[in-house]
Amino acid sequence: MTRYGMVLDLNKCVACLGCMVSCKMEHLLPPGMSWCRVLVKEQGTYPSVGKTFQPIVCNHCKDAACVQVCPTGATNKREDGIVVVDYDKCVGCRYCMMACPYGARYFNAKRERYFPGKGVTPLEEASDKELQTGVVMKCTFCVEKIEEGLKKGLKPGVDKAATPSCVANCMTKARYFGDLDDPESEVSQLIRSNRGRQLHPEQGTDPSVYYIG
Amino acid sequence: MVKQIVNETKGKGGKTGKAIEKKKDDVWIPTCCWFCVMGPCLHRYHRVDGTVINVEGNTSEPGFDEWTRNQGRLCPKPFGLIEKVYNPYRVKSPLKRTNPEKGLDVDPGWVEISWDEALDTVAKRFKEIRAKDPRGVCSTFHSVAQMGMGGTWEAFYIAFGPMQDVRGGSGMRCGLGVHMFANTIHGAFRCSPDTNNTKYLLILGSNVVPSGGVCGNLNYAKAKKIVVDPMLSLTAAKADEWLPIKPGTDIALMLALIHIIIHELGTLDEEFLKNLTNSSYLVGADGHFIRDKSSGKPLVWDTAAGVAREFNAPDLGDLALEGIYTVDDQECKTAFQLLKEQMKQYTPEWATEICEIPAATIRRIAKEFVDNAQIGSTIRLDGIDLPYRPVDVIIGRPVEAGVHSYQNILAQHILVSLVGALESVGGHMGGCAHPTYYDHGIKPGADGMPQPIYHEFTWPPTCWSGCEAFVPFTKIFGHAAHLFWINMTNPPPGLPLPPPPQAYLRFRNNAIHSVGETEMVVSAMKKIPFIVSISYTYDEVTQLADIVLPDYTELERYDVLSPDYRLGSGRRFRGILLRQPIVEPPPNNRDISYIVTELADRIGFLDTYNNMINIRFNITDPYKLELNKKYEWVDIVDRMCKSLTKGEHDLEWFKEHGAIITPTTTEDQYNVHLHMVKEKIRYPVPYMDVVKTVGENLQANLAKVGVDWWSTKEYVALPSYLPSVLDTVPKEYDFYVTTSRLPQYSNASNNDCALHNEVMQQVPGQYEVLMNAGAARERGIKEGDEVWIESPIGRIKGAVGLSEGIRPDTLFMAGQFGQSVTPVAKDLAKLSVNAITPISYEWTDQVTGTMQSTIKVKVYKA
Ligand code: SF4
Ligand code: SF4
Ligand code: SF4
């Protein structure tokens, strides 16, 4: 079986936020919505103080709370472990948003514009074609990119054209993608050799996103 | 023809089992970016049905992911270029003002005019001015135009005749100081670590990690980093150690490090110092090199022969590094001896009182620096043995620009020289032995060191910045631009200036925000009777313009570049790269090259302009432009492609493939070191005799013309501690302000990109006035409170952000905001310290001509 997952190296991330912009452009996300985020936190008091940068995305949990509560089956888990939302089935009840322990989901209530009063930009027109309103959305692991890549015989996480945008573009190579079920994949090896950690394991959702560093 | 890479579009949101709508136009188009000095990077943009919707690092050709700067990766800036294309506030027609009253808050009363009317109006005015003196036009432009990425702009600018040069890059937001020394020492535009190989970096006041482009990011991660900065910058956050130094005292730290290395550790790269620097040159009582009476060549002490000999005498024995000698009955010392004596006083205990870094820490850092330098080690790369010294000192703008910046830059270079890390593997690189597009290269001068470049004293000065008369070393790369604006408003008494500029031609930069003392710059600009703004948006300079000429964005136009400069520093390729249009431009906008070609033609210097295009772009026969014919830019681009590839590839080929890239060799990477050894040239450190000499001549010349208000006392051969100019500010101004470039904004003017701004708000403290939480508590200031920030020249109001990661006596304000007119950017309503940064002669470094960037303010609740 395949279980896609991501590894984020906290040592390497410099909070350039390239992944956030990258994700927003890849999916033409409207104002106020970022499927990918980087949390910048300060710890300590002057002068013993540090800053950490933690990229977060949907964890594509193995035991996903969102999937369990979705009444219509719109949120579902694919065989390859990717949790997706079928917008056509989503009724916008937002139970999934309450259930997700990671705050990874967003409700696209209505069309928001970047330049209020200045019309709709061609980018927003393109976005309108892709993103429905009244539904819940979130990080998809760029599933379309993966599928297209697979069709061409490419390997997600190895070949750029089959790899999520935020991973492929990250300028410090802090992000990795691949098959967690394959012990030889780069992600599996990184998790093993760096004692990869999941976010809030106590929630029991078994995330497919691991942190190292 | 663009390669069809993807034929069908992607469904979004993980829709399952839905038929995917086929798109007519769905292509990835290769192009390149050079929005920062760490570029160029290779990118490709995704266009669907005529709309550009995405960008990624381009790895579509062999080698692109391996040798290029960005290795298939992306920094956040190129996304902004997509946003700019669709910015609804773009200027979409030539404009002329109808309201003669000018001001940032005064409606210019724009009316749309035809291109013919706009170009004829400009050409007529410029022709009249040029006939009298081309200096009647002054000009500023964005640094991309300087990097050969502004079409034929530069050819126009040069061929017009010498305009008043008020170049954008030389204002506050540029490290002009380092450009001067990069050239004097390395022959290059700037110097930085050998990013691929460095292991230990001492970083002073630079946010280089996120700002260093993709290449910097990929490589700096591997090095141990000690960051010395009043604020816990993103770079400091990623460092192994953060040392919150008192602002403006970096020189004390560097001098103490030199002291420890020479006087306490005594671990020096003696071979390097003797053979590749001027350490062994003998210096007389007058502070200048002792010279051979007949040949005039500087002398060194040959310990084997026991006599002084010419520095390049054949069969020189071992040279004396230290010592006091007698030559022709005159007592003299080696340059190194003088350095040693001068550094004696700068103990770590002395430094700690000034810079507030504990003496023990300074000692430890000095030891780590020396240990990591691995003095004496070599590395064999491709069969060539090279010195391996993987350490460097990086200085940021607050250190390399501002009063005493010359002392800082010199101390920095002496530090790396002591361990032999100049142009070594892993060391401090300029990388340009030979002249390139804008590096001067290293030409051996008479004294066995690179030929220095500086202005001959010119009186009266021919330009309004007066640089030829006051700051001779600014001949390298532009001017002390802020002096231009001072002289326009409040010139020093008795300064004979040329007739005032009659027109101002501006291409894309923003002098109103990139200098200082915003109100003064605005009032100076308003004095110029005719302002032409080539701009894509309605920004502050445009607001003061008489004629506006709207140009194309970077995704609508061509450029060809063949970066053959600054090898080392992480760039491991040569190549020819194409920037090409991804989308159609708005119908009534024009490319910069069209605009200046039309102006050159209408003004009447098409021949010199075409000639300059041939020269600047290196277009050779049979592709050369005929001198009296008007060419379209796309035709010139095609000629460049053919000329650069000796006829092998034309524009169509480049449009498909994007670039030709070849990896550099080890000889390329370490060309300066190999060149110095082969030609027996020495780096002009530690003893800057040339600076001392230029300073003495300057002093004599200024005395002759009766100028007593411009001091030359900082033209010294060895660095010394001079108290910060900020110590002279009254005590009530009790906060320092430091600033920094933000990686997402620097060089790219992305602050008018709405999506970009939305994302960047994620990093706390980038937008606010950042204040130490404890210091705020003491003053009853809470997170988000509105405060006044007041400097001796004015005050600005903004919201406070609190942080533990900043010294209690320091505020931080990012450098790229504060716009009051530029659409979108102005809605950020963020502050820029430039507005209240005083600019004056006193606050200008005497040697580098850079303006003071760290200032002092007081803060109180609004
Ligand atoms: S792109 Fe990479 S380095 Fe930049 S913020 Fe995202 S994870 Fe961090
Ligand atoms: S995997 Fe794709 S959808 Fe998820 S955060 Fe990254 S770019 Fe966005
Ligand atoms: S701005 Fe970014 S993409 Fe452009 S050259 Fe610099 S690092 Fe490369």
Side-chain angles (χ1 to χ4, degrees), chain B residues 288-303:
Chain B
H288 289 292
F289 294 145
I290 300 250
R291 293 169 186 277
D292 182 81
K293 285 229 174 68
S294 53
S295 69
K297 286 182 184 172
L299 300 176
V300 292
W301 192 263
D302 184 337
T303 55

Side-chain angles (χ1 to χ4, degrees), chain B residues 652-663:
Chain B
E652 286 308 312
W653 187 91
F654 274 98
K655 282 168 80 169
E656 187 177 333
H657 297 271
I660 299 178
I661 296 293
T662 49

Side-chain angles (χ1 to χ4, degrees), chain A residues 10-11 13 16 24 26 32 38 42 46 51 85-88 114 130 144 148 160 167 169-171, chain B residues 8 10-14 16 18 54 57 71-74 217-218 232 238 744 758 762 803-804 807:
Chain A
L10 301 179
N11 274 344
C13 173
C16 74
K24 287 205 68 153
E26 175 73 29
V38 180
E42 208 176 83
Y46 180 87
K51 252 184 216 161
V85 184
D86 185 337
Y87 299 158
D88 289 344
Y114 273 107
E130 305 289 351
E144 302 87 351
E148 268 185 45
K160 216 174 138 157
V167 176
N169 284 332
C170 168
M171 70 165 163
Chain B
E8 54 184 18
K10 296 166 281 196
K12 302 283 169 180
T16 43
K18 295 220 68 170
N54 210 350
Q71 298 178 29
R73 301 288 163 150
L74 210 58
N217 276 287
L218 285 171
L232 183 73
K238 297 313 287 184
Q744 301 86 358
E758 177 200 354
Q762 282 274 316
S803 165
E804 292 290 343
R807 283 174 60 97

